[in-house]
Amino acid sequence: MADENCSRVETALEILVGKWKPVILYQLFTNGTMRFSELQRALPDITKKMLTSQLRELEYHDIVHRKIYMQIPPKVEYSITEYGMKMTPLLEAINAWGTMHIQHLNELYSEDHKLEDAETK
């Protein structure tokens, strides 16, 4: 039973773990439908290859929908799927815990060692 539960956690974490997936998901949850170029501008440090790879993995898991418009030049848009929207409570909980953790560390290590909140970066 423990091994089965562990594999379920691993499966869930596969979608969220990594430097870019959470940031890509944040952009799509915050902004709604975005074109590839808009995602790239929102994440200036990511390479085209990495963005493509991460979006494909999220698409495979049915978290992100890719819509192709047959026009010249081709237009591709990405959005969160209906199934992916079920991640909203999870992402909100992670965000709330992250905020609480920063406050905890600031209290633990005093004013001299304040950690920078991600929102002020």
Side-chain angles (χ1 to χ4, degrees):
M1 185 73 167
D3 288 341
E4 188 177 309
N5 289 336
C6 184
S7 68
R8 290 177 183 164
V9 170
E10 289 172 352
T11 299
L13 287 175
E14 183 180 323
I15 295 167
L16 294 173
V17 172
K19 180 177 181 179
W20 297 110
K21 284 182 189 174
V23 183
I24 292 167
L25 289 172
Y26 173 79
Q27 289 297 324
L28 291 173
F29 271 101
T30 303
N31 299 309
T33 301
M34 295 179 77
R35 294 180 67 174
F36 185 88
S37 59
E38 292 172 322
L39 279 166
Q40 203 170 19
R41 277 192 301 275
L43 309 167
D45 294 334
I46 194 170
T47 65
K48 284 183 182 182
K49 182 178 178 182
M50 180 58 72
L51 180 56
T52 300
S53 168
Q54 299 293 278
L55 285 166
R56 284 191 180 148
E57 287 181 33
L58 290 167
E59 184 181 5
Y60 172 81
H61 288 284
D62 193 34
I63 305 300
V64 169
H65 174 72
R66 178 177 184 238
K67 184 172 183 178
I68 303 168
Y69 294 88
M70 294 302 184
Q71 63 185 48
I72 298 176
K75 177 178 157 182
V76 179
E77 292 181 337
Y78 295 91
S79 59
I80 301 294
T81 63
E82 185 176 331
Y83 177 73
M85 292 302 280
K86 294 178 182 181
M87 292 178 68
T88 302
L90 173 65
L91 295 173
E92 288 173 345
I94 290 171
N95 184 55
W97 186 87
T99 300
M100 181 188 66
H101 184 62
I102 288 170
Q103 291 170 349
H104 172 73
L105 290 177
N106 286 337
E107 291 168 6
L108 188 65
Y109 295 112
S110 80
E111 293 292 320
D112 296 335
H113 295 85
K114 275 225 181 249
L115 295 175
E116 187 175 345
D117 188 333
E119 292 179 7
T120 61
K121 286 184 180 179

